[in-house]
Amino acid sequence: QSTELIFELSKSGRRCHRLPECDVPAAKALGELIPQEHLASTPPPLPEVGEIDLIRHYTNLSAQNMSIDTNFYPLGSCTMKYNPKRHERLAAFPGYANLHPLQDDDTTQGMLEILYETQQFLAEISGLPAVSLQPAAGAQGELTALFVAAAYFRDKGETHRKKVLVPDSAHGTNPASAALAGFDTITVKSGTNGLVDLEDLKSKLGDDTAVFMITNPNTLGLFETQIKTITDLLHSKGALVYLDGANMNAILGITRPGDFGADMQHYNVHKTFTGPHGGGGPGSGPIAVRDFLAPYLPAPVVVKDGARFKLDFDMPKSIGRVRSFFGNVGILFRGYCYIRTLGPDGLKQVSEQAVLNANYLRARVTEGFDVPHPGPCMHEFVASARALVRERKITAKDVCKRLLDFGFHAPTVYFPMVVAEALMMEPTETESKETLDAFADTLLKIKAEDPEIVKTAPHTHIVSRPDEVKAAKELKLRWTPAK
Amino acid sequence: QSTELIFELSKSGRRCHRLPECDVPAAKALGELIPQEHLASTPPPLPEVGEIDLIRHYTNLSAQNMSIDTNFYPLGSCTMKYNPKRHERLAAFPGYANLHPLQDDDTTQGMLEILYETQQFLAEISGLPAVSLQPAAGAQGELTALFVAAAYFRDKGETHRKKVLVPDSAHGTNPASAALAGFDTITVKSGTNGLVDLEDLKSKLGDDTAVFMITNPNTLGLFETQIKTITDLLHSKGALVYLDGANMNAILGITRPGDFGADMQHYNVHKTFTGPHGGGGPGSGPIAVRDFLAPYLPAPVVVKDGARFKLDFDMPKSIGRVRSFFGNVGILFRGYCYIRTLGPDGLKQVSEQAVLNANYLRARVTEGFDVPHPGPCMHEFVASARALVRERKITAKDVCKRLLDFGFHAPTVYFPMVVAEALMMEPTETESKETLDAFADTLLKIKAEDPEIVKTAPHTHIVSRPDEVKAAKELKLRWTPAK
Amino acid sequence: MSYVLNTPEDQKAMLAKIGVSSVEDLFANIPTELRLKRDLAIPPAMSEMELQSHLSRLLGKNQSASDAVCFLGGGAYDHFIPSVVDTVAGRSEFYTAYTPYQAEASQGTLQAVFEYQTLMCELTGLGVANASLYEGGSSVTEAALMALGITKRPEVLIAESVHPEYRATLETYAANLNCRVRTLPTPDGFLNPDDVKSAVSDATACVIAQSPNFFGHLEEMQAIGDAAHKVGALFIASFDPVSVGVLKRPGDYGADIAVAEGQGLGVPLQYGGPYLGILACHEDSRFLRKIPGRLVGQTTDRNGKRSWVLTLQPREQHIARANATSNICTNQGLLALRAAVYLTAVGPQGLKETAELCIRKAHYAAEQLTKVPGVSLRFKTPFVKEFALQVPGDAKGLLAKLRTAGYHAGLPLAQWYPALANCITVAVTEKRTKAEIDGLVEALKANV
Amino acid sequence: MSYVLNTPEDQKAMLAKIGVSSVEDLFANIPTELRLKRDLAIPPAMSEMELQSHLSRLLGKNQSASDAVCFLGGGAYDHFIPSVVDTVAGRSEFYTAYTPYQAEASQGTLQAVFEYQTLMCELTGLGVANASLYEGGSSVTEAALMALGITKRPEVLIAESVHPEYRATLETYAANLNCRVRTLPTPDGFLNPDDVKSAVSDATACVIAQSPNFFGHLEEMQAIGDAAHKVGALFIASFDPVSVGVLKRPGDYGADIAVAEGQGLGVPLQYGGPYLGILACHEDSRFLRKIPGRLVGQTTDRNGKRSWVLTLQPREQHIARANATSNICTNQGLLALRAAVYLTAVGPQGLKETAELCIRKAHYAAEQLTKVPGVSLRFKTPFVKEFALQVPGDAKGLLAKLRTAGYHAGLPLAQWYPALANCITVAVTEKRTKAEIDGLVEALKANV
């Protein structure tokens, strides 16, 4: 199929969408309504194509993607679980899809009830009672939580707390968010067991520590067994513990961040609660915090006033807004549908089976690859292609590319950085044993393949190994017409 | 991707759809409500899969199809034009999708208005005033028209009219429908110019002739220039003329069957008026007839009674029903949307541009292929690969298979039978000059290719030249579990 | 407005290549006197926005099964359609493809139809199913035509309790052929096997019965079939594909050909069509030679790979022409796909639960409704998800009042069975809740 | 109920392979005292049918823009969404894919984003656009952070007529950084360029203005930008992407960074999100080093074939960590796709006509509404599709009455601008018909 850009398909005079005739009096020239100085001489040079061109172009483009609906997608740390189709049907109901964000609460009582319950569900699942649904994504959730922490310390007069501690295995968003919230980031080392090095943590912890950001289970897929010791330690210094909730899929109904000492956490509703990832977004990153942090949350939150729900803006200590309007409601809505579908048993089953699948896949993968940290793992694990590099000059990246040829999306590669040639795999609970076996069999097969085939893979996709260096050097970020 | 059958993915205990608990009293065993003798011991052995299995299976299956939305589909006689997306959105509106066929007319006034207008539009476009929307497909439309003709002749006491004349270039449904309506079929020859051989027609026409079934433009894409002479001739013998409306896309707003002497015609709403073809159906085959045939149409039709619309069953001479319920309303609904979108100018433009596209493609194709009949053609034309067989041992079928490798669906092949090695091409008005050129360039390129490559094509599809003889000989029409 | 792509420049270049000077020249073969000299008298073009408003307004005049609680049946049922069905049927590679004549470019459709055929065999307990027909009435009719062809006998016997519109369809087709259709009366709401025994003869090609029948009640299918077989006639069973989640299948009680309306398997009500005609029969060469419509068969490609093609095409009209087994060209491909996805989604357990919920709710409804004074079950035989009620007074008037109260309460039977003047059928699917049933009962109480 | 596939037999086999005896064993690393000893207190599971009924009931309590005629704006507009937008965004290969880190498996998404970036350049008249941000407020905020980084100056000036929620967002972010935000008052509904001239200094990193502004009225963007540039500050323009069908683009009047809420480009209202943050800027290495979010770049693959990849990733958080230009990880990929399809569907002529229809209808509405006694335009400056009205008496009470009459008539401004106590903004898109506008006028007459 064609890989022409839509601009290259354009021909002057073709049209897809048409507008009705103007039905209000249109005797006046536009220049009489809008002063000429504001008017452009021509509209922007958008492409001109027919409806069939548009549909063929994008339909054929879509076929160039791997996706959950077409392939196993064991991308570690991304929780690529199945996205239920019922959510898409329900989110298209006009009573939701056509709801304006600034309508009066009297006209949105159904919506507010859904959002109120969503707040309650997220509070219950985390064990942290106060929830803000406003953050648009996980990274913004983290940032919002740090804003809350900063506001809390300012309010307490502890503005000297300028440091945020982050394990070396953390997601990059953690230090980036800390910086954006005005904190200095201090990295805490992991031990050889993959867990936080308690001694290193102690050595870096001080009266200037504001927050410790911890991912638990961590990015190696390991539960931080000393988590209570760690959180107690932080609290003893008056600091707060922030939980990166990216890995909540491992612990739903099993253990709660609030119960193991976290003061704040975010959720990735698009990971744990099946908002579709959309090729990179939208996400939704609500946060849950302890009671004493509730006053600082972004406004508004949904409250229940008798039988009536309303948006509460009356939060004088609030950090303010982190975005316009209520939040990424479309994703929250799907999360609500998911939680209502599963109920308490279903949610717990999610984590149990996600962990079972990960351990099974781990057992299969260890037949041919190093997995540096001891099991059992939680919902994901990190293998290493170190030996393969040494013995056969095949890198983790090569393995990933070759997997594509067999119809499997690649694992997350070269993350976390504490493992050389890392291959991070998260199968999720929605995959079957058959799929895990087919994937593991393929991994083992690739290991034994002619290295040349592996190093030049993929061979069955529309492109193979695009040159990233060239992309960055000869920067071309938009199409321009040929002269 | 996997080509496993859904049955092969089944594992006992897996489930996709779940039902709610029973909310009415369920104390009694089922056998107390339904006598045991009627009950099965187990439900049918349907496949057991999870939702992700189901979605991946069918999504990946869909990718094994060519379709209008992904490829140029110049299948002659099938009018594979673009299917507007707005129709799909509108047909899903609950006010239509959830309408029960046996609701009282008081609750379906909007629907009846749409159907009433559709009847009127089809009458106007054909120049034949009485319309039945009941037939489910073109073939059933033909048959219904022949039932109407038979009823008419019975009513007139002319039961000796047992013969239906059909040109040798006609669609196979014509003689098949004639036989099913109890008529004997007589074939009329085409002349070397591709048109009905008037002398042959005269020689076969007699007092026993009931109906002449003519396709105009005919299946060679030619307008029967002597159509008026032909229809006058038939009428002079007291016979009726039936128009096969498969090729209406060539003459919308340009000439009308009623005006050139047809007494009855069917429409393929899924061809001319963009009902999606659905991988082979559903179609919709309404018929339009002259006033004197109206009493024989299937009941009910929609009538307007003051401001109210109603289904009229009071048609004592009606042939009866040809199916249950009103008709393939979903396709009629899309046809209605299409006609309302285009209006009179748009419809005429359809035929003008369909004919322009066909003639342009014809001109391009004649650069390398015989086109036995002189131009201009109407909306389609028939080329021949005769010379290619002779010179390079490449058949029409080989050319078709090789086209698939280049992302083009094949033309209709070996039809009509009056042209050897026929390649019948209908580009439709919704394709661009660029697409026609790319297709013609490819055809010419294939002509010059290494015959071995062409004769073993396709090379880029999931399968290549399935063995049809084996399929028919070792008949396997269903999956059976391995022992 | 149209979906045309050619710009004026394109047209100029194309005309030049063709060698004519205007589009008008291309129509030179149509004699001037036959040309339409005016615009078509249809309303002017509408933009998408206008069309959408226009249809919202028109459809807003309907009171659909989303606007009132639906207890209507009569061959079309308000069953729940899982979202996965819409998702799959909405793949444009399925719905914008044509008949799979080019097998290599159509393996998706072909495999889906092969799976559909298999699923229909599993639902019916028979060996072969075709790729679908238009709807229930076509299935009954085509099955009868098959039987006439197979047995070479002239008479079709059909129970009066078969869907009246299926019977009407059969009669229309039969009117033009050398055969006769006799309707066997069912005054008590079922076909008495003894009546079948006395009606059959060696002229009988087939006996057609439906269970659950048009009233929703069960027939003694085994006995009816036995009576047919005794004289060498075929037994054609019209059945409800959802009901076989718990009921015996046509193949289990001896049907030779099973037919059904497949709408209940994931097809929207959409005012009666497109629906899905199911037809399955014995795997027997006598039957295979006469089976109408398309068939997909398994084979291997030139590399030995399993693949699928349309097969036994010599039966079909585009090859056999006047000698075809049927004039059918299109199947209902997209609806067959919906049915396949539906059955895959529900699985054996889900079909069983669906059927059982229907039965339980229908019986609860019958129990509660017949407590209303003057309301009684019209027939004594067992029923599944639909049943016939005798109501006091004018049934049509009563139903109109119940519509005002928000209920599509049932179908007045008199239009098809004049003898059943004040009777209605009430259908109860798994979608109906206890609250909705209780609501109907209250509304009925208030209006009788 | 869950979407889990493992059967009890699967689980047994898997546990055996792992070498543990129960799933519970896999959680051994979670100390017992940290385990939740009870079920989560959330409601029990629901089947799809129940969930659908439940949500139908809840959503039925809302009075959406389908239930009442919508004249609400304030940064989210009831524009028409062509069906092709839903069709493309409904392709599951798009919506169930992840961030395109594996380029070969993601060319569909990558090419679509590259096209989106190009379209944003065309809409803004600037050289570079990113792959999108969360929404309008994030775009304003990230643009301000860019300006702070580029100019290394500490002060952001922002007009009071910029969307108040964008300003609030900026203030939240700024509160934790070494910078200050000053709001320039707009008592007459627009930012006076003279006020900008007096406010700017060599501490000014940027001036942010919005046109059409929150009231729907136009600003003198060229003059505001000139004033900013005079002191070496950047000029950040927040614009309406639909309006540039007829209005000058940010690049045309000298903006250095253009930002917008992209909801109007084919994104449903859906109660405020997900929406689409647009950000474009000069193609200049100073800007490129600081641009936040993802970028897709063109390159060639190992066979020389044109292809697309995520590029300049060293700016981003997953590589730069604490030194990243922004903490943003997700873009709004699916919404960027919607915007790209929308703009491709409307094309230049369609965008122009849409913008013009909005303008004409808004002016007609303003003309008719201000004929109602006591109702007047609050500001004198030109407006586009939205305008501020002074109404007699209590604005909120009046709006409530109009809702009862079937109109979402406007937004009460006092919640954001206490000085505008009895003022509302009324937005009129191309979807509003003359009949709807006239209806609102009548309803207003009846209620003032």
Side-chain angles (χ1 to χ4, degrees), chain B residues 2 21 78 82 90 139 162 235 241 246 288 298 306 310 321 381 399:
Chain B
S2 153
E21 293 295 310
C78 299
Y82 176 67
L90 298 170
K162 293 305 293 174
H235 292 152
V241 176
K310 67 168 192 179
R321 287 192 160 273
F381 64 95
V399 172

Side-chain angles (χ1 to χ4, degrees), chain A residues 208-475:
Chain A
D208 56 356
T209 304
V211 178
F212 182 45
M213 301 181 82
I214 188 166
T215 309
N216 188 27
N218 70 21
T219 60
L220 292 163
L222 303 174
F223 194 85
E224 296 280 353
T225 48
Q226 304 202 70
I227 184 67
K228 196 68 177 67
T229 310
I230 293 170
T231 56
D232 287 348
L233 195 59
L234 267 291
H235 292 153
S236 73
K237 294 283 182 182
L240 298 174
V241 175
Y242 169 81
L243 180 97
D244 181 322
N247 295 342
M248 286 301 289
N249 211 49
I251 58 171
L252 300 170
I254 290 176
T255 181
R256 306 192 306 169
D259 295 345
F260 60 64
D263 303 296
M264 317 181 278
Q265 78 155 103
H266 85 272
Y267 284 95
N268 292 109
V269 178
H270 50 296
K271 294 181 181 176
T272 314
F273 303 118
T274 74
H277 288 74
S284 173
I287 61 172
V289 301
R290 290 203 188 280
D291 269 333
F292 64 89
L293 296 171
Y296 308 98
L297 288 177
V301 294
V302 186
V303 296
K304 194 169 180 181
D305 187 1
R308 187 175 179 272
F309 297 92
K310 67 169 193 179
L311 294 179
D312 186 6
F313 290 89
D314 186 18
M315 298 171 67
K317 290 190 170 182
S318 165
I319 58 165
R321 288 193 160 272
V322 295
R323 55 162 293 163
S324 57
F325 307 130
F326 186 83
N328 273 1
V329 184
I331 304 301
L332 296 165
F333 180 88
R334 288 169 173 82
Y336 173 83
C337 291
Y338 183 68
I339 294 170
R340 292 305 305 255
T341 298
L342 268 62
D345 296 344
L347 286 179
K348 189 170 180 186
Q349 203 184 15
V350 162
S351 292
E352 288 173 347
Q353 299 296 318
V355 169
L356 175 61
N357 273 3
N359 278 283
Y360 179 70
L361 184 60
R362 184 178 181 282
R364 290 294 326 268
V365 169
T366 52
E367 291 173 22
F369 289 80
D370 291 341
V371 176
H373 300 96
C377 63
M378 298 295 288
H379 65 297
E380 66 187 348
F381 65 93
V382 180
S384 169
R386 240 174 325 199
L388 213 50
V389 171
R390 201 168 53 234
E391 294 158 19
R392 315 198 68 217
K393 308 261 182 275
I394 294 172
T395 65
K397 178 176 176 176
D398 295 331
V399 172
C400 285
K401 297 296 182 196
R402 184 59 178 151
L403 277 168
L404 305 180
D405 280 335
F406 294 99
F408 296 108
H409 195 277
T412 295
V413 68
Y414 302 123
F415 181 82
M417 298 170 193
V418 295
V419 173
E421 297 291 326
L423 289 162
M424 183 189 207
M425 306 183 200
E426 178 178 9
T428 86
E429 75 283 1
T430 64
E431 298 292 340
S432 66
K433 178 173 178 296
E434 291 90 323
T435 299
L436 304 184
D437 281 328
F439 176 77
D441 291 345
T442 304
L443 259 187
L444 299 174
K445 180 174 161 180
I446 290 171
K447 196 187 163 204
E449 278 192 312
D450 175 358
E452 202 43 40
I453 288 178
V454 180
K455 293 162 71 65
T456 53
H459 303 281
T460 59
H461 284 247
I462 189 152
V463 301
S464 183
R465 307 228 180 183
D467 186 339
E468 297 189 0
V469 175
K470 177 178 171 180
K473 228 170 67 182
E474 303 171 14
L475 211 55

Side-chain angles (χ1 to χ4, degrees), chain A residues 11 14 18 20 50 86 89, chain C residues 5 10 50 81 83 86:
Chain A
K11 185 177 259 182
R14 289 206 181 129
R18 301 202 180 233
R86 65 197 64 175
R89 176 192 275 181
Chain C
L5 290 177
D10 290 331
E50 291 165 300
I81 302 178
S83 51
D86 288 342

